[in-house]
Amino acid sequence: MPTDMPRLLPRILGTAAALIVCAWFVLGIRQAHDINAATAIISGTAPPSPAQARRAGSLLDSAAQLNPDRSVDLLRSQLVLREGDPARARALALAVARSEPENIQAWLAYGSASAHDRPAFTRALRRLDELAPPVGGH
């Protein structure tokens, strides 16, 4: 074993740690880019074309890698709703709402997907009212 090894080991470990941190940041940047691109497709004025929907779905799949944030699932719910499948959109949003019962965005997505399902829509409104009660008493 070379005599310099005890001094080189911390440098090697430090370099490896720096590379891991850089890779993590690159992944985060890529996820943010994919989320922004998917959001642009989902929030367009017209429903997405089948090709746009596939592209948005692919971007969301990419953004979901190693991402514990459930916002990707809520975007997927919005995409499915824009594609005309409110039952699936409702199921996706409800899964997030059940796992994060304090998540107002999840309950909003669930309510949006429940516009034609009165009991589900009422449930979403009640939960939203609990989470963010009206201000001012009007």
Side-chain angles (χ1 to χ4, degrees), residues 40-104:
I41 293 169
I42 293 167
S43 59
T45 56
S49 70
Q52 288 174 317
R54 281 191 304 275
R55 175 74 178 135
S58 175
L59 289 165
L60 292 175
D61 289 343
S62 175
Q65 286 183 324
L66 300 175
N67 188 348
D69 187 2
R70 300 297 301 267
S71 65
V72 173
D73 296 326
L74 294 178
L75 284 169
R76 195 176 309 280
S77 172
Q78 290 175 10
L79 174 62
V80 171
L81 182 60
R82 296 286 311 260
E83 289 180 290
D85 190 350
R88 184 164 172 241
R90 198 169 35 255
L92 289 166
L94 185 58
V96 176
R98 283 183 174 156
S99 70
E100 299 177 358
E102 305 294 316
N103 187 332
I104 289 177

